[in-house]
Structure formats: C-alpha cells, structure tokens
C-alpha cells in the first residue's frame, strides 16, 4: 500500500485545510480530505484562526481575565448575531425563532435587532421551511434554518438530501446553496425516542453536505460563523444537553475551520476520538485514567463530514491505538464510518483493531435507568481504555 | 363521457373547432385514419349531428367540469364573512334560542362531566408534580376538556383514535384508569409503554387509542390508512384523528386530507384550533379563514364548531361519524377552543401572551364550568355533588400518583425487547456486553 503523505494546506484561504500530496494518493483519502470550500482570501489578519491547540494550551486561547464568560447557547447567538451584522444577506428561519427567541434561546433578541423578515417565524412544516431556506440560498441569501429538534428535520430529509446536497452538482455548479441547518440533537435527559435522534448518522451519506458538531462555547461560536460563511450546505449539530456549558471565550472576532479537528488533550498512549457530548464524558473518564497513570490523547473530531484525517492520522502514528467514543448507534453511525476510514488509511500504524463505543441499537427509551444504559457512560470508557492499554483486547 | 354527450346534445360548431378539445381531435383523427384523407367529410359527419343548442354547456377539462365565464374575476382570499361557528349553549351554559339539544340524558351528561373534572384534576396535580421534580415532563389539556370528552362520547369504542398529544380526555373517557395514566407518567414497570416513552405519550391497543408520537401531524396519514382498512373490512367504525392549528401546517395534513377524500376513507379530522402553536399565534400560522375552509379545497364535508360547548361538539361529532361510516367519506371538524395552559412544562406562555388573556379563558370561558351550568339548570347537578366530586377526584389522582411513584422502573431486560418481534443477533450481543459492563460497575450504571 502506498505511503500516504498528508500535508497541511498552505494556501491563502482562511484556515489550514488538508491537502494531499498528489503523487501518493489513496482514492478514499481524497473523499475525506481535500479542498471543499472555494478559496477565500484572508479578510482580516487579526482573526484568531488556529483551531488546533498545541500542548499546554486550553481550547480557548485567552489569558486570565481577558475574554468574556458565556454559555454555549449564547455563544451560538453571538456568532449568529455577528454574522448577521456583518452580512445583510444572512437570515434565520424556523419555528418560534423570532419574538419567542428560539426554544433554546439561540436566536434571542435577534428579531428585535434585525427585524422579523431576517428572523422569520414559520408555520410548522419542516420540509417547507427547509425547502424555503434552500430556495432563498440559491437566489442570494445565506439562510440559517433552525430545527427545533434535530429529529424533526427528518421531515425535511427529502429537501436536505435531494436538494441541498445535490443541486450544486446537478446544476453543473451554477447554483450554490450556502445554507446552514442547525438545531439540538443527541440523547437528552428523558426526552423520549423522537427527541433523541442522532441525525449525523442518517445524513452522513449525503454527498454535497458538510457536517460539524460543536461541543464547547468556543467552538460553537467559531463553527457557527464558519458555517455561515461557507458556500456549501452545512449541518451544525448542537447537543441539547450542552447549551448551558460555560466557558471564557475571546473578545476579538474569530472563525474556526470547518474541516479541522480539535486536539483537546495531547498524550502518547492511545488516541481517543470523540465529538459533541461524548467529549465531556471522555474528559471525565480521562481524569481517572490519568490518575491511574495512562496518557490518553483526546481529539474532538468536530468535523463529521469530512473527517480531519490529517489530525487523526498524526495522532494514530504516535499512539498506534485508537478508541472512538460516540453517541450514534452502533449500526451505521459516525463511528462505523470513521473506523473504516482509519483502517483504510492508517492500517500500517495500528497495533490493534480500532475500537468503538457507541449507543445501543434501540430507540432511546424514556425511563432514566434504561436511557442511561443506552448511551456510553464514563465508566465504560475507563474500562475499555484499560483493556486496550493492558493488551487484553 | 367526455365530448360524446356534447356531440350528441349538439355543441355549437364554433366551439368544437375553436376549442380544439382533445376528444374532438381524437375523433377527427380516428375518422381520418378510417376515411383516409377525407378529413372534410369526417368533420362534416361530426358537425351534422350538432343541432345547435345554446352554449350553456360545461367546459370539459379533465381537471374540472366548470361553466365558462367571459368575466375575469379573481376569487378573493377570504369570503366576506368567516364560516359561522356552530354552538348550542351560550357562554353561561344556557341553550340558545332555536337550538336543537342532542339526545344527552342525565347519566350520559353526568358521566361526561365526571370525566372532564377528573381530567382537569389530573392535569393540575401532575403539572405541579413536574414542577416539584417528581416527573420530568407534563402537558395539560386545560381549556380543551369539553372538546376531548364530548368528542369521545360521540364515538364508539370500535372507532380508532389517532391523537396528537393533547387528547388525554378521549383516552380517559374510554376507560384508561388513573393508575394507568400515572404509571406511564412515572415510566415505571407497570406502565403499558414499558417506560419507553415520555410522559403523556399514552397508547392503548385495547381501547383503540394509538400510541402518541411527538412529531406533529404524523398521525394524520396513519388515520387515513386505518380508515381505509375499516372500509375494506366493512366495519361499522371510522378512524378519528386530532391535531392542532399548528399541525394543519404540516405537509402530512395536506397529504392525509387529499388521500382521505380521493380514496373515500371514513375518517374524522378533528382540528383543535386552540389559538397557539407553542408561541406562534393562529394569525401567524395561516392566512385563510382557519382550517374549516380547506375542507372544500379537498372535496371534503366540513364544519366549524364551538369546541368549548360540549353539546355542540357531541352533536357535530355524532353527525360526522354517521356520515363517515354510512357514506365512507372523510369529514373535517374545526373545533374552536383556547389553550389555557402553557404548551407544556417546557414553556412559559406569559412570554408571548398576557396574564389577563389566560385568566379570562381559564375562568369566564372555562368549558367545564359552562357544561356544569347546563347540568345544574337541568337539576342534574348540585353544589354538594360538585364538592364531593372534586374532593374524590383529587384523592384518587393523588393516590394514583403516589402508587406509581413507588413502583420500580423497568428492568434492563426491557431495553432490547420489542425493537423487533424477536431479538436479532446483534442486539443479543449488545445486551450481553451491557450486562457484563453493568456487573462490573454496578453503581454507575442501570441496575438490573
């Protein structure tokens, strides 16, 4: 198998995208990497653009006392507000987003500031307002479509798959669809099966879509801004239980890169890949693992489509062991695809099978005890990592 | 069909030639084929049959049989007057002049009232329970008790109900016990749903009440399918589905109405137009005259009724059911009402409507009180009866709640069952792995 050489992109675009050295290329690697958005010139050199933290840095690169503390839902709102102020074509549509301020307050105050045409309350029809958002995006607006819960966007699957994902391609590149589709998803606290869907699992196959998942106020704001600026249709996955997470984020403007993963904790023993709420479970498990003398490297993959194989690959080359911790179900989730990608690209660097902890293949039950057993818990992560590092599996 | 009757009746020549309607072209062409190039002879043969009646004929497009007009006139978006709303009792529970009171004897009326009060009591106690943290979620029917119970009373137990989520009274009428309601809300092992659904997502196969699913309006096409099955089996029953003003915006509403009309399915579409869809008021949900006017758009019989008038609802639903079952046709009933409570325990409606508005509808326009006044005017109910019922209902509900709270939650064995009819291999493996993990980490994971 040809040795794959991954180099960071050094173009003048606003983030370090991954580009593959053309002479040694694996067809599947191209599918996951490469340039996606058209090159955009660096507008403001003072933007903080580096997403990948080096050893010793925290995820929010601010010194003590600078920056401001913010909750995740408010960080999303800040990002949205900044983009709406900067670009008059950005508008929001969804149920109860206007005068109500959104079910999770992500659009709070925006209707008062920008008017109810740019923050549009719609009747209840997900397929309609998603289609509307796509149509508006094709004719010059940059729309942000909010699903009150990601699960309801299944009603808009046709629009998202057949239209948002496809029209740029089928039109021969004539029509672009700069739409952002966002909303809370994931398994919450006893919300019942229909409110606990993991749509990243269902949508990951759709060509033409980009998918990112935020997990902290810092990356939530940065990804929101990046998603709005992207010319591709982007699905931004928020987690219903992370909206009240608090963090100190920079005062100055910053935009993150949609295709980059985030190195949360550098280490050398094992690579743990995760995203969204599971990131926090992994960090919780890591405390115990570190106490027991292990040194896990934790990467929040953030970009669910495409995967940042550059960051992931570099880590695997160092640790030779990989565990994926996800909230998707075992069958057909992000973990399943990521395992395939790792096996294809980094087989030579692996000491053992890439492992994956996922949710059970059941509709999420409501009863608290059953619900807890459906998703991965920190205790399971500890057990699995120890088994892997002790060579037991 | 088609143009042939026209030809036989004798359409004017200029119409036949000028309109170029498909049938005349077809016939001329077929004649050309038979008579060769003798097209003129063919035309003459056709025209000679016309006996030149005046042109009061209908235009015969496949899409519509309509009279023609030479005046271009757009149909205005709304009629001069809104569709009137049928009611029997006024706001004070007195029969209006000229009303035709339906056949509701004292025992039926008292039973209806009992159910409304029990529903109201259950709602207020369980709402408070959520506020106290004893259950995680609740959703009330306050303001819609008459609509729930009176519509249910007009149906038979064989009629299949497809609810949205604000129709607990229909289930209560049919015999779902307070214990069963409470068990579901507390998601304990005695609950019919085996702890799998959120509170208030009831379902009962034996009571013909299909399990509630949160997404809006998904139950409407189900109802049409069920109705179609009833029609095939020639059952003396219909399907009944409920939805709100917000639900009528969903694509599934359009699909279900159109299918029901085209396929002639015996289904009642009961729209609870309660004025709000979470924070979206009805005036932002639609621009037409509510939902009743859409019935005509689908070729469906429809009626608008005062949803807070138990007698009017009872009468309208009874009549609609009769029509649906006897003629195998759908009926759209728009019941006007008001959502007194918040959308759910996750909502604070004072954010988007005034406290005065809520208080007004809760007190002066309370449908339960209105019905009670009618009962009292018939000497079927007294102040003592009221006191006794309210006290008893409260005790029963609290007792059901306490019992349900004490029961165990469902065991781990119920996590994987019922995904399929039998457990497939992958789920057996997952269960084995889970049990292994649980046995090694008992405090942090679900107990067996």
């Amino acid at each position: 198998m040809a040795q794959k050489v991954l180099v960071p992109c050094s173009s003048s675009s606003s983030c370090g995208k991954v580009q593959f050295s053309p002479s040694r290329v694996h067809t599947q690697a191209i599918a996951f990497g490469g340039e996606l958005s058209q090159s955009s010139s660096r507008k403001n050199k003072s933007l903080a653009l580096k997403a990948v933290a080096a050893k010793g840095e925290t995820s929010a690169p601010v010194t003590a006392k600078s920056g401001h503390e913010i909750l995740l839902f408010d960080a999303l709102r800040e990002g949205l507000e900044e983009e709406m102020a900067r670009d008059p074509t950005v508008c929001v549509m969804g149920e109860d987003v206007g005068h109500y301020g959104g079910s999770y307050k992500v659009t709070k105050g925006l209707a008062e500031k920008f008017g109810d045409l740019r923050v549009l309350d719609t009747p209840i029809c997900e397929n309609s307002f998603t289609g509307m958002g796509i149509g508006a995006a094709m004719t010059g607006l940059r729309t942000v479509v909010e699903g009150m819960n990601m699960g309801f966007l299944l009603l808009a699957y046709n629009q998202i798959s057949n239209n948002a994902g496809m029209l740029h391609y089928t039109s021969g590149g004539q029509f672009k669809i700069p739409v952002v589709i966002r909303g809370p998803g994931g398994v919450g606290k006893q919300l019942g099966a229909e409110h606990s869907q993991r749509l990243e699992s269902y949508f990951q196959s759709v060509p033409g879509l980009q998918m990112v998942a935020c997990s902290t106020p810092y990356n939530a704001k940065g990804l929101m801004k990046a998603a709005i600026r992207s010319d591709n249709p982007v699905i931004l996955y928020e987690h219903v239980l992370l909206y009240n997470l608090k963090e100190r984020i920079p005062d100055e403007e910053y935009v993150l890169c949609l295709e980059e993963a985030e190195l949360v904790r550098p280490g050398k023993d094992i690579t743990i890949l995760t995203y969204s709420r599971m990131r926090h479970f992994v960090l919780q498990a890591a405390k115990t693992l570190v106490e027991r003398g292990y040194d896990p490297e934790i990467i929040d993959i953030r970009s669910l489509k495409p995967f940042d194989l550059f960051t992931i690959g570099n880590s695997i080359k160092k640790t030779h062991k990989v565990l994926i911790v996800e909230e998707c179900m075992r069958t057909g989730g992000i973990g399943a695809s990521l395992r395939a990608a790792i096996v294809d690209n980094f087989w030579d660097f692996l000491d053992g099978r890439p492992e994956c902890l996922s949710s059970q293949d059941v509709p999420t039950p409501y009863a608290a005890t059953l619900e807890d057993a459906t998703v991965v818990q920190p205790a399971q992560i500890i057990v699995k990592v120890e088994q892997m590092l002790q060579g037991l599996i | 069909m088609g143009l042939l009757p026209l030809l036989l009746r004798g359409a004017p020549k200029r119409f036949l030639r000028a309109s170029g309607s498909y049938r005349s072209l077809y016939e001329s062409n077929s004649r050309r084929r038979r008579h060769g190039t003798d097209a003129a002879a063919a035309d003459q043969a056709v025209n000679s049959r016309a006996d030149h009646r005046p042109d009061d004929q209908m235009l015969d497009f496949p899409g519509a049989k309509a009279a023609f007009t030479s005046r271009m006139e757009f149909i205005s978006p709304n009629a001069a007057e809104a569709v009137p709303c049928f009611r029997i009792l006024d706001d004070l529970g007195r029969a209006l002049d000229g009303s035709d009171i339906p056949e509701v004897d004292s025992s039926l009326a008292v039973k209806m009232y009992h159910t409304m009060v029990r529903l109201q009591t259950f709602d207020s106690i369980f709402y408070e329970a959520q506020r106290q943290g004893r259950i995680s979620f609740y959703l009330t029917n306050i303001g819609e008790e008459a609509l729930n119970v009176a519509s249910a009373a007009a149906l038979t137990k064989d009629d299949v109900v497809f609810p949205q989520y604000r129709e607990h009274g229909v289930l209560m009428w049919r015999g779902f016990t307070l214990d069963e309601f409470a068990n579901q809300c507390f998601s304990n092992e005695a609950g019919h749903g085996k702890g799998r659904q959120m509170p208030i997502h009831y379902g009962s196969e034996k009571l013909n009440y299909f399990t509630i699913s949160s997404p809006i309006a998904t139950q409407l096409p189900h109802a049409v399918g069920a109705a179609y099955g009833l029609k095939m089996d020639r059952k003396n029953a219909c399907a009944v589905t409920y939805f709100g003003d917000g639900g009528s915006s969903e694509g599934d509403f359009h699909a279900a109405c159109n299918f029901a009309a085209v396929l002639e399915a015996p289904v009642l579409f009961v729209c609870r137009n309660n004025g709000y869809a979470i924070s979206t008021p009805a005036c932002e949900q639609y621009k037409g005259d509510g939902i009743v006017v859409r019935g005509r758009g689908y070729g469906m019989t429809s009626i608008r009724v005062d949803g807070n008038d138990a007698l009017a609802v009872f009468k309208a639903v009874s009549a609609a059911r009769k029509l649906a079952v006897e003629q195998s046709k759908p009926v759209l009933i728009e019941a006007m009402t008001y959502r007194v409570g918040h959308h759910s325990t996750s909502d604070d409606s004072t954010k988007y409507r005034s406290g005065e508005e809520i208080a007004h509808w809760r007190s002066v326009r309370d449908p339960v009180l209105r019905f009670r006044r009618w009962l009292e005017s018939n000497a079927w109910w007294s102040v003592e009866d009221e006191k006794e019922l309210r006290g008893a209902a409260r005790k029963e509900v609290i007792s059901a709640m306490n019992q349900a709270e004490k029961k165990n939650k469902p065991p781990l064995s119920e996590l994987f069952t019922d995904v399929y009819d039998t457990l497939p291999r992958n789920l057996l493996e997952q269960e084995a792995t889970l049990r292994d993990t649980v046995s090694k980490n008992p405090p942090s994971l679900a107990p067996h």
Side-chain angles (χ1 to χ4, degrees), chain B residues 338-381:
Chain B
Y338 188 85
R339 194 198 77 206
V340 172
H342 306 304
H343 165 73
S344 72
T345 48
S346 310
D347 173 45
D348 172 16
S349 59
T350 57
K351 279 201 213 143
Y352 49 83
R353 55 182 183 175
S354 72
E356 290 85 36
E357 180 186 315
I358 303 172
H360 170 74
W361 285 89
R362 185 187 288 276
S363 55
V364 172
R365 308 289 288 270
D366 177 14
V368 182
L369 176 60
R370 187 171 168 192
F371 191 56
R372 176 180 143 199
R373 289 209 168 109
W374 182 71
L375 287 182
E376 286 169 346
S377 72
N378 286 336
W380 293 342
W381 197 252

Side-chain angles (χ1 to χ4, degrees), chain B residues 389-443:
Chain B
L389 175 61
R390 291 277 173 184
R394 195 177 162 75
K395 268 222 299 261
E396 284 162 21
V397 171
I398 290 176
S399 163
M401 181 166 72
N402 290 336
Q403 300 282 342
E405 198 172 24
K406 287 195 215 115
K407 292 200 175 86
N408 285 332
K409 299 300 182 212
L412 217 53
S413 53
E414 295 292 13
L415 183 59
F416 297 96
T417 48
D418 300 324
V419 179
Y420 297 98
D421 51 359
T422 55
L423 277 166
R425 175 142 165 234
N426 68 318
L427 289 185
L428 282 168
E429 283 171 8
Q430 287 179 21
E431 186 176 0
T433 311
L434 180 65
R435 284 189 188 283
D436 184 56
T437 315
V438 167
S439 66
K440 296 192 171 106
N441 299 275

